[in-house]
Amino acid sequence: MSKTKVLTFVQKYTMIIALVLVTAFFAWRTNGKLLLPQNLTNIIAQNAYVFVLATGMLLCILTGGNIDLSVGSVVCFVGTVGAVLLRNDLNMWLVVLVMLLVGLLIGAWQAFWIAYVHVPPFITTLSGMMVFRGLSNVVLQGKTVSVTNEKFVQLFGGGAKCYVPDVFHGANINILCIVVGALCCVLYLFFTIRSRAVRKKAGLEVDSAAKTIITAVIIVAVVMFFTYRLAQYKGLPMALIWVALVVLIYTYITGKTTVGRYLYAIGGNEVATRLSGINTKSIYFFAYANMGLLSGLAGILTIARLTSAQPTYGQNYEMDAIGSCFIGGASAYGGVGTVPGVIIGALLMGVINIGMSIMGVDANYQKVVKGLVLLAAVIFDVVSKKKSS
């Protein structure tokens, strides 16, 4: 294999390679505890909000490296509204709808100033970060509001009973989890083969059969190992279902829709995109309004997992989301990045968090490591851009 092909391969799969190496390192340092079924479940449950927020943050970053600093405060405020409404015994589905609507309205409010008044996203969302953190404190008056609605907690992933019931009633293992994992693998193989056949028929370049087979075998093995370990504990956590829905929907939006193509076009060259007749203002508005909507969903998942709302919830959530995007391959200049890449970045952060926690590493040193990992990812992006230019 030529040097160019090796370099291309490494650049394409850098984060996957890093995830495998980091996981192997912590599995070694923790004597295999990292890969215990309960710890794998914790990686999902504890980082569900990161997966959701990072997916929305990617759309903002695609527009030119822009970010949303307010998401942590919006999560807190939306969670506050939801907890107060649930305490007053409102219908659970009505509360969920209100929480999503509040998140969407906040996103639309900020999107208006960014898209149509041209206030820089950094300033607009920095203002939002302070405003909605303050409003959360005003509503809660510095107190904690408990979430006691069991149906809400179970459906959105908080507590010990928040798992998809095993309809096959496995004795020592969750059979439904294994079936879902196998079905995911079958669908992946089907779409991989179909996509390769379509590209080949159209005369487009495709990977060699050997490379395609090796990649497919590795992915199928990882998925089946992961689902098998989950099946050994309690099966599929509800948080994973919500994350999977978000990932599937936004992978489709960014890869198969006109709006998705416009997001990448703006990040590539906003002036050229605007001159070609595309309404760039509406695309900016969509990106930030959507960020508010997903912040609302993250607020739901947060108070369901923690079974309460507090004025301190959501702190540094924006940093986790932004870090996951850049670590997952999104460009600091915009126009580059994928939802699967962002999820890999979020998983990498989650593995580092829980790995260091199991090892007993001080929380301050954990922040140092996460900061250095983020810096390394951005440096890699900047250096790669310079070499390619």
Side-chain angles (χ1 to χ4, degrees):
M1 187 180 289
S2 66
K3 183 179 178 181
T4 303
K5 289 185 177 180
V6 171
L7 182 60
T8 302
F9 177 83
V10 171
Q11 288 180 338
K12 185 176 181 180
Y13 297 104
T14 298
M15 287 303 109
I16 296 178
I17 294 170
L19 177 60
V20 171
L21 292 176
V22 169
T23 303
F25 170 77
F26 281 112
W28 167 59
R29 292 294 297 169
T30 60
N31 296 318
K33 291 180 181 179
L34 176 68
L35 299 180
L36 290 175
Q38 186 171 358
N39 285 331
L40 291 179
T41 301
N42 288 338
I43 291 175
I44 298 170
Q46 294 175 9
N47 293 280
Y49 75 89
V50 182
F51 297 131
V52 173
L53 293 177
T55 301
M57 191 68 71
L58 173 65
L59 272 59
C60 298
I61 291 173
L62 287 177
T63 61
N66 300 304
I67 57 176
D68 188 336
L69 293 174
S70 69
V71 293
S73 297
V74 175
V75 166
C76 183
F77 181 69
V78 170
T80 296
V81 171
V84 171
L85 293 177
L86 287 171
R87 183 181 61 182
N88 293 324
D89 295 325
L90 265 70
N91 178 272
M92 184 200 77
W93 291 111
L94 178 60
V95 172
V96 169
L97 182 61
V98 169
M99 292 176 75
L100 292 175
L101 185 60
V102 168
L104 179 60
L105 289 174
I106 291 172
W109 162 262
Q110 297 188 138
F112 171 78
W113 300 113
I114 294 169
Y116 296 102
V117 187
H118 303 294
V119 179
F122 182 89
I123 300 300
T124 303
T125 58
L126 178 63
S127 170
M129 180 175 69
M130 294 184 286
V131 168
F132 296 108
R133 179 66 63 184
L135 287 176
S136 300
N137 276 279
V138 169
V139 174
L140 291 174
Q141 297 181 344
K143 300 177 182 178
T144 298
V145 174
S146 298
V147 176
T148 57
N149 188 309
E150 291 186 6
K151 187 177 179 181
F152 176 85
V153 171
Q154 291 174 9
L155 187 60
F156 293 100
K161 297 181 180 180
C162 304
Y163 294 83
V164 180
D166 184 6
V167 295
F168 299 103
H169 306 291
N172 298 317
I173 195 167
N174 191 295
I175 299 175
L176 176 63
C177 189
I178 300 295
V179 171
V180 170
L183 181 61
C184 289
C185 291
V186 170
L187 290 174
Y188 165 74
L189 292 174
F190 170 76
F191 285 113
T192 298
I193 295 171
R194 182 172 176 269
S195 176
R196 191 174 189 277
V198 169
R199 290 181 62 84
K200 194 172 182 179
K201 185 177 180 180
L204 300 174
E205 184 180 356
V206 296
D207 292 332
S208 65
K211 183 178 178 181
T212 302
I213 292 172
I214 292 172
T215 303
V217 168
I218 293 173
I219 291 177
V220 168
V222 170
V223 171
M224 290 310 300
F225 171 79
F226 183 69
T227 52
Y228 176 72
R229 298 299 276 175
L230 291 182
Q232 289 180 305
Y233 185 53
K234 294 181 180 179
L236 297 170
M238 286 303 303
L240 178 60
I241 304 301
W242 295 110
V243 169
L245 285 174
V246 169
V247 170
L248 289 174
I249 290 170
Y250 285 89
T251 298
Y252 177 80
I253 289 175
T254 55
K256 300 294 184 180
T257 67
T258 303
V259 171
R261 289 192 290 271
Y262 289 170
L263 285 166
Y264 286 100
I266 290 174
N269 191 322
E270 183 178 351
V271 175
T273 303
R274 185 170 61 251
L275 292 176
S276 66
I278 297 171
N279 187 344
T280 56
K281 293 180 180 179
S282 65
I283 302 302
Y284 270 105
F285 187 89
F286 169 77
Y288 280 90
N290 173 77
M291 187 72 257
L293 177 65
L294 289 183
S295 295
L297 177 58
I300 293 171
L301 296 175
T302 297
I303 65 170
R305 183 175 70 87
L306 300 173
T307 62
S308 65
Q310 292 183 13
T312 57
Y313 285 177
Q315 287 184 345
N316 294 323
Y317 277 21
E318 59 278 352
M319 297 298 106
D320 290 334
I322 294 167
S324 297
C325 288
F326 290 133
I327 291 170
S331 173
Y333 303 102
V336 176
T338 64
V339 173
V342 166
I343 297 305
I344 291 172
L347 277 173
L348 181 59
M349 295 286 279
V351 169
I352 291 173
N353 283 338
I354 197 167
M356 289 192 294
S357 295
I358 294 172
M359 290 173 60
V361 177
D362 183 86
N364 294 313
Y365 285 112
Q366 292 185 31
K367 293 178 181 178
V368 172
V369 172
K370 289 166 64 176
L372 291 175
V373 170
L374 174 58
L375 179 61
V378 176
I379 289 174
F380 179 81
D381 173 54
V382 172
V383 172
S384 297
K385 286 282 185 181
K386 287 183 177 179
K387 286 185 177 180
S388 62
S389 61

